[in-house]
Amino acid sequence: MAETYIISIDQSTQGTKALLFDEEGTLIQRRDLAHRQIINEKGWVSHDPEEIYHNTLRVVKELVENAGIDRSLVAGIGISNQRETTLIWEKESREPIADAVVWQCSRASEICEQEKIRGAAEKIKERTGLLLSPYFPAAKLAWLLKYVPGAEEMAKEHRLCFGTIDTWLLYRLTKGRSYKTDYSNASRTQLFDIFCLQWDEEICALFGINKDDLPQVCDSDSEFGWTDFEGFFARPVPIRAVLGDSHGALFGQGCLEKGDVKATYGTGSSIMMNAGEQPVRSTYGVVTSLAWRMQGKVSYVLEGNINYTGAVISWLKDDVKLIASPGESTALCEEAKKDDTLYFVPAFTGLGAPYWNSHAQASLTGITRTTGRAEIVRAGVECIAYQITDVVRAMEKDAQIPVKKLRVDGGPTRNQYLMQFQSDILGASVLVPNAEELSGIGAAYAAGIALGIYSTDIFKKMRRVVYEPEMGADVRERKYQGWLDAIKLTTQS
């Protein structure tokens, strides 16, 4: 068999990665390039779309050149992208008319406070699965139309394109021939009916958007278009997969069956459960969304997002200076007194899933005379596992499926104490892969499977370290109840 390669582009909040995989699905080369975080005096966060596009071209070129491969052997492209980051651009010139509004930017809060939109919050949730929030593209697009000079007039003349980063890259890479998105990204816009599987005309109109001006929604393993990367390839290469980054990680982890769960440990965390082909409406504080649609079949997810997980480690290091490096936390956790009753609730900006309490404040409870540096660090590390467990427990109740395995990824998974404690407090196996770039891996594997280069057996080759529960059930229950008591104190204060 001739050599064949797949390139995955992972466009994240901090930068753009290009990953090269061979015909066995092995990652053989990686290139990264950061882009600017544009933050103004109001705290608004923006990205330059042109910078992201040109960085994408550059990392792919450097990837192929550094690998030294024959570029004609690249069979296809997969894309994973930061979700919810939103932009508008001029259809004919293909030029953005403003910087992209980043997912974490809340400048569109005023849009959500408008009486007509606030009054439709329950309807919006019923159809999109999402709580009304300025973090989703619906409000961001409305804000851009309102405040970017000339945008409303251009929109009325159907001269604008609207999209998330995946749609922007597809449009530019294909020279405007492909104006598309996939089901995973569409499901995060708060404009897409995830049950009828189409743009919701009424909700779009609420936000001042003509649904006919939105991109075509395609299966996540569709043929999204062809690109030569501005002449870098002698012949165009097909783009055969697009997935939002969390969905890409779910796919990359091989969570293809109903009840499979993954947790990504980053600055915050995204926990997803594959809910199968029928939607599960959450009543326990997580959201219903789409995993993807592939080969014409939809998979739904339950998802919970946590604001502060890996960021707690950064806080311990950079703000309170209790550790000099993240790696130091493992030894301190082991040193801490075993019977200490300290709990840290990291509600720096309120609590996300499953509590959704924006007024909660961070707290340290259960301090005794013997509480010291090691105990505080351990409480900071353990709060990550407790929060993940809260979300998994909510998903178990919604889906009525017990979770026996948790697939995990992200930098904090290198902390062996955290992974063992996660297994102990959850009472389930925790599987840590030998690879880090699960979002990019998911997009690559989806593209390779779509092209017939890989089969679903590709997921079996991923090596994993497995942590099994060692804690007794009575100890687990006592510790977890202590955490729930700490949460109660925090939310009541």
Side-chain angles (χ1 to χ4, degrees):
M1 179 180 175
E3 287 182 307
T4 305
Y5 300 95
I6 297 289
I7 290 176
S8 175
I9 298 165
D10 182 17
Q11 204 302 296
S12 68
T13 308
Q14 298 299 320
T16 306
K17 307 178 191 71
L19 310 168
L20 184 67
F21 297 82
D22 65 16
E23 67 270 13
E24 301 296 326
T26 302
L27 176 59
I28 58 174
Q29 188 78 218
R30 165 181 165 172
R31 302 297 291 178
D32 299 62
L33 199 58
H35 56 257
R36 291 175 298 145
Q37 304 299 309
I38 305 167
I39 305 174
N40 72 3
E41 69 282 354
K42 297 179 181 178
W44 295 354
V45 188
S46 305
H47 289 161
D48 179 348
E50 287 287 350
E51 182 184 12
I52 287 175
Y53 174 62
H54 288 290
N55 282 1
T56 300
L57 296 176
R58 182 176 159 190
V59 290
V60 168
K61 180 179 179 181
E62 291 180 358
L63 177 83
V64 173
E65 290 179 342
N66 279 272
I69 65 166
D70 181 344
R71 62 189 74 172
S72 69
L73 298 176
V74 175
I77 308 291
I79 296 174
S80 62
N81 59 282
Q82 54 169 315
R83 301 185 305 173
E84 292 105 22
T85 294
T86 305
L87 63 157
I88 54 179
W89 62 96
E90 207 274 324
K91 191 179 295 183
E92 293 299 323
S93 69
R94 306 195 291 272
E95 294 180 357
I97 65 170
D99 283 340
V101 182
V102 179
W103 61 269
Q104 63 200 147
C105 181
S106 61
R107 74 183 75 172
S109 296
E110 64 171 86
I111 302 294
C112 295
E113 290 302 316
Q114 292 177 7
E115 185 176 347
K116 66 174 182 177
I117 292 176
R118 190 173 67 248
E122 191 56 39
K123 179 186 295 183
I124 290 169
K125 183 188 175 190
E126 278 292 308
R127 297 182 187 177
T128 70
L130 302 172
L131 298 168
L132 179 64
S133 170
Y135 292 97
F136 295 114
K140 295 184 192 303
L141 285 174
W143 189 94
L144 286 165
L145 286 172
K146 182 177 180 179
Y147 288 107
V148 174
E152 283 187 319
E153 291 74 16
M154 294 175 75
K156 289 175 184 176
E157 297 169 0
H158 307 287
R159 291 167 51 200
L160 289 182
C161 292
F162 306 87
T164 43
I165 291 292
D166 58 308
T167 302
W168 164 246
L169 290 179
L170 287 170
Y171 200 81
R172 289 300 300 269
L173 287 169
T174 63
K175 297 181 171 61
R177 289 187 289 270
S178 179
Y179 183 41
K180 298 177 178 179
T181 188
D182 90 299
Y183 279 84
S184 71
N185 280 293
S187 74
R188 301 295 295 181
T189 61
Q190 203 152 67
L191 297 170
F192 191 74
D193 187 322
I194 64 171
F195 307 103
C196 297
L197 301 178
Q198 62 188 12
W199 297 118
D200 188 290
E201 186 169 10
E202 184 180 0
I203 293 175
C204 287
L206 271 174
F207 289 95
I209 298 159
N210 186 327
K211 76 174 182 64
D212 295 331
D213 288 332
L214 293 170
Q216 178 187 355
V217 184
C218 302
D219 284 14
S220 306
D221 57 354
S222 295
E223 184 181 289
F224 285 91
W226 294 68
T227 180
D228 62 5
F229 285 87
E230 303 278 8
F232 179 66
F233 290 105
R235 58 171 181 80
V237 179
I239 303 169
R240 286 307 311 264
V242 170
L243 288 160
D245 52 11
S246 290
H247 310 258
L250 187 75
F251 193 81
Q253 287 276 20
C255 293
L256 309 183
E257 302 296 328
K258 183 177 180 178
D260 289 346
V261 184
K262 74 90 189 174
T264 298
Y265 297 69
T267 301
S269 284
S270 165
I271 303 94
M272 277 187 171
M273 172 188 279
N274 188 325
E277 294 182 31
Q278 297 300 318
V280 175
R281 290 187 183 272
S282 175
T283 57
Y284 288 95
V286 294
V287 300
T288 305
S289 193
L290 293 175
W292 47 69
R293 193 170 96 158
M294 295 190 187
Q295 298 177 352
K297 296 175 92 173
V298 171
S299 290
Y300 286 89
V301 290
L302 291 169
E303 180 174 6
N305 295 101
I306 299 168
N307 297 332
Y308 287 90
T309 52
V312 176
I313 307 299
S314 299
W315 177 76
L316 290 170
K317 179 175 75 73
D318 299 329
D319 296 280
V320 293
K321 304 190 186 307
L322 291 179
I323 54 175
S325 68
E328 191 179 353
S329 63
T330 300
L332 285 167
C333 287
E334 297 291 354
E335 288 176 19
K337 295 175 180 64
K338 303 300 180 190
D339 58 349
D340 192 81
T341 58
L342 194 67
Y343 290 93
F344 178 57
V345 180
F348 295 111
T349 53
L351 289 170
Y355 302 106
W356 300 109
N357 188 319
S358 60
H359 301 293
Q361 294 183 322
S363 66
L364 197 61
T365 62
I367 300 172
T368 68
R369 180 62 183 83
T370 59
T371 299
R373 172 182 171 228
E375 286 72 32
I376 295 173
V377 169
R378 187 175 69 182
V381 170
E382 289 182 347
C383 79
I384 299 172
Y386 283 124
Q387 291 181 95
I388 300 285
T389 300
D390 286 341
V391 173
V392 174
R393 293 285 177 251
M395 290 175 172
E396 288 179 320
K397 292 174 185 175
D398 278 325
Q400 297 185 340
I401 298 173
V403 173
K404 302 296 184 184
K405 294 179 180 178
L406 178 67
R407 295 172 172 91
V408 300
D409 57 87
T413 62
R414 291 190 289 268
N415 186 315
Q416 295 177 3
Y417 179 88
L418 172 59
M419 291 298 97
Q420 183 58 58
F421 188 74
Q422 182 71 81
S423 177
D424 285 337
I425 209 66
L426 186 59
S429 303
V430 171
L431 285 63
V432 184
N434 64 330
E436 292 186 1
E437 301 302 334
L438 270 299
S439 297
I441 287 172
Y445 285 3
I449 291 169
L451 289 162
I453 296 168
Y454 306 145
S455 73
T456 53
D457 288 342
I458 193 78
F459 300 104
K460 297 176 182 177
K461 70 170 291 178
M462 187 175 289
R463 299 192 307 275
R464 303 176 190 269
V465 176
V466 180
Y467 293 83
E468 298 288 358
E470 297 176 353
M471 185 181 289
D474 56 335
V475 177
R476 177 184 303 117
E477 179 59 31
R478 174 170 53 81
K479 283 183 171 291
Y480 189 58
Q481 186 57 52
W483 165 257
L484 296 178
D485 292 342
I487 289 285
K488 189 175 181 180
L489 284 171
T490 300
T491 55
Q492 288 179 345
S493 60

